[in-house]
Amino acid sequence: MPQVSSAIPDADDVSAILARAKELGFEGFGGACGEAAIAINRVIFGGAGKIVGAFNDAFLSRGRMIGHVAVLVDGSYWDVDGYPKDLEDIDSWGMLDPDDQDHVEEAERLGFAWNDHAAYGVRMVEFGDEAELIRQFMDDNLEEQVNILRQAMRDHLAETAPSLP
């Protein structure tokens, strides 16, 4: 797995790198959170994080991952937003709107009642390795995401490197 650095950067550096990455087209929502988490873990954290997801339990029990994926490092969760989150922030991504017609129809198609209990149930999943996450729901943009993040890291390092006399 390619790594830029083995040292874990501080929160301000991570935020700056992810802000630059977003300017360069880095994506992490709308189905791209898994790729973003892998890229963030590889490039920023040198593979030191754990990739975790918070998914709606009713759908997950039926093979559908609806929720969000992030990287857990030193007790904080990181995603494309670029600031450290706690468990409640990530957990809430698995909670869905009980009145959302798309969810009502999908639940009906899958054969279960869509109600408050089904909507608010969340299950946290830790992915043992990248391959497991890639098998579940990946697009073909992972290498592009990694390259964007590497460029953002290079840009950040160039901006913050001390100038030589």
Side-chain angles (χ1 to χ4, degrees), residues 46-123:
K50 293 179 183 178
I51 299 177
V52 297
F55 300 105
N56 178 271
D57 189 48
F59 281 115
L60 187 61
S61 297
R62 290 155 181 92
R64 293 282 320 274
M65 289 186 167
I66 300 176
H68 192 56
V69 180
V71 181
L72 175 61
V73 178
D74 293 338
S76 293
Y77 295 84
W78 291 90
D79 64 11
V80 71
D81 278 345
Y83 61 90
K85 295 177 172 73
D86 59 22
L87 177 61
E88 290 77 28
D89 290 327
I90 298 300
D91 195 54
S92 68
W93 282 92
M95 296 178 195
L96 304 176
D97 181 355
D99 299 320
D100 185 299
Q101 191 59 37
D102 290 336
H103 298 314
V104 171
E105 290 171 8
E106 184 66 6
E108 184 176 303
R109 189 184 73 71
L110 293 172
F112 69 96
W114 187 245
N115 53 37
D116 287 357
H117 179 74
Y120 299 135
V122 175
R123 187 182 334 165

Side-chain angles (χ1 to χ4, degrees), residues 26-43:
F26 189 73
E27 298 176 359
F29 293 105
C33 59
E35 290 175 340
I38 289 172
I40 291 166
N41 193 39
R42 280 185 190 177
V43 177

